[in-house]
Amino acid sequence: MANEEQGSILKALDVAKTQWYHVTAVVVSGMGFFTDSYDLFVISLITKLLGRIYYQVPGSSSPGSLPDGISAAVSGVAFAGTFIGQIFFGCLGDKLGRKRVYGLTLLIMTICSICSGLSLGRDPKTVMVTLCFFRFWLGFGIGGDYPLSATIMSEYSNKRTRGAFIAAVFGMQGIGILAAGAVSLLVSAVFESKFPSRAYILDGAASTVPQADYVWRIILMVGALPALLTYYWRMKMPETARYTALVSKNAEQAALDMTKVLNVDIEASAAKNDQARVSSDEFGLFSMKFLRRHGLHLLGTASTWFLLDIAFYSQNLFQKDIFTTIGWLPSAKTMNAIQELYMIAKAQTIIACCSTVPGYFFTVGFIDYMGRKKIQIMGFAMMTIFMLSLAIPYHHWTLPANRIGFVVLYSFTFFFSNFGPNATTFIVPAEIFPARIRSTCHGISAASGKAGAMVGSFGFSALVKALGMSNTLYIMAGINLLGLLLTFTIPETNGKSLEELSGETEPEKIQKKIVV
């Protein structure tokens, strides 16, 4: 048995020291997530500009804005595509293998990022319809990246630092948000210097120069670049050994792939030993055995992700409206169209630098010490506290002298979202389910999250109009508290192998071999 353990592929993966290939896998998978977050969050920066360009009412006292229905569609249609893509590619990743569909998702994202910026015509209806069409399919490709990136990274990682590796991939979401703000700042600054105009209050519709139509298109198309840069390397990645050995049952190929990437000498017989050690009771997703063993786990990962994304995407997509409500951003009529984009991007970039990105880094640094469950409970708890801290004395925060305090507390909700459930809801589903349905279960959990994102993107502005910002913040606090309670339905995964967590390893069988 000792020799079998030393030659075991699963054992080699679990105890492998951090190597260059681990770093490469993080970068290649992470750049996909960089693209995901850039494309999903950049739309919140340009919606005001789209309103000024295409929905300006002649003689109006205020700048043009997108109608509520169109604004919700432009902001949320990508989430609908992501929802479908997560389930579709999640299932496909278990049926065909992680690698075979990994490049396809990146290709879809690249093409649709470019096409979003090339949305047809100058007529408002035509532009919005084509923009929504391409952003739906952009979301479809993004959806596939969630389960595949998480599953690939979890199956390549060692047991000791698996959480940090998966968190590092997900942490590229923060860099993507930061990049969306930075690119918007750069493009708007260049166009403002080349094509200046006066504020709307001074020059009406002329405050939106014709060249502003190029600004939002360039910003959207830049999202294709990181995906293009990593496409070749994604195609060079071998299939994960866990999928090849345990799902495809190809012991020779699994041993060959791992010998190349992990710099260890593994024989094909080792994979066959792994197959013998892992349970042959291959129950399906819709079986009673799955329901008994993992039903509560799937409920926990799906429900907590759903609740988290209602709050998280509401805050991200509509932070410009929140900042305007408390007076942190100047009135739109005191700026021209490009200046308004610049100020919105500046505010989002400040929030990303001060709270969003540091939250991701804290997760990477602490997740393999604190554990997933503690971080998720802490994150939901602190988000609840800070939401209540904003809601209870809301009138206090709207006073000019106190607005900086509002922004500080608001930033802390982002920090503890990312040093909390926004990261852990991505990590845990990639660890606790069997290899043959791991990608599918992660896709279902992620799709539940995007259902929450759609609720947030379509419902937040309606809630604010119907109930006011203060009452909406109370509702967000309640959602976070419910997420905290549901966290207790998921297990702690820190320091355990994937096979141990998923229940695939049969201790009795191992014990019998030791005795023999």
Side-chain angles (χ1 to χ4, degrees), residues 163-374:
F165 284 145
I166 306 174
V169 170
F170 191 68
M172 291 301 291
Q173 185 180 81
I175 306 301
I177 295 172
L178 187 61
V183 170
S184 299
L185 283 172
L186 177 62
V187 174
S188 58
V190 169
F191 272 77
E192 174 63 16
S193 66
K194 296 293 184 182
F195 309 103
S197 62
R198 297 199 297 170
Y200 184 87
I201 198 171
L202 299 175
D203 219 353
S207 65
T208 305
V209 295
Q211 293 81 6
D213 193 53
Y214 295 111
V215 173
W216 69 270
R217 296 177 184 273
I218 292 171
I219 292 171
L220 289 183
M221 287 191 286
V222 167
L225 292 179
L228 279 173
L229 292 173
T230 55
Y231 181 79
Y232 171 78
W233 296 107
R234 187 170 283 201
M235 291 295 91
K236 294 282 287 183
M237 294 177 73
E239 184 56 84
T240 69
R242 281 186 162 95
Y243 183 88
T244 304
L246 304 181
V247 183
S248 297
K249 310 295 185 185
N250 189 338
E252 291 78 9
Q253 189 62 49
L256 179 63
D257 289 342
M258 289 303 96
T259 298
K260 290 180 180 178
V261 302
L262 291 179
N263 298 317
V264 292
D265 186 17
I266 301 175
E267 297 180 358
S269 59
K272 293 180 180 178
N273 291 331
D274 288 329
Q275 292 168 1
R277 293 173 55 229
V278 171
S279 171
S280 59
D281 183 15
E282 297 187 352
F283 51 85
L285 178 64
F286 299 104
S287 67
M288 287 303 298
K289 285 188 177 179
F290 176 86
L291 184 62
R292 287 196 301 269
R293 296 187 186 184
H294 298 290
L296 188 61
H297 297 161
L298 185 57
L299 173 65
T301 58
S303 61
T304 53
W305 206 335
F306 173 79
L307 294 167
L308 177 276
D309 273 9
I310 292 176
F312 182 75
Y313 282 92
S314 294
Q315 291 170 238
N316 268 291
L317 290 175
F318 297 100
Q319 60 179 271
K320 60 184 181 297
D321 300 313
I322 292 173
F323 290 148
T324 300
T325 300
I326 66 165
W328 201 46
L329 289 178
S331 172
K333 64 176 66 177
T334 65
M335 300 177 283
N336 65 40
I338 297 177
Q339 285 173 340
E340 184 178 25
L341 169 63
Y342 182 89
M343 293 301 294
I344 293 169
K346 180 181 177 182
Q348 178 164 304
T349 304
I350 291 172
I351 294 294
C353 287
C354 296
S355 60
T356 305
V357 174
Y360 288 111
F361 288 155
F362 268 71
T363 300
V364 173
F366 288 98
I367 193 162
D368 288 313
Y369 298 97
M370 292 178 62
R372 288 65 157 154
K373 198 167 183 175
K374 287 182 180 178

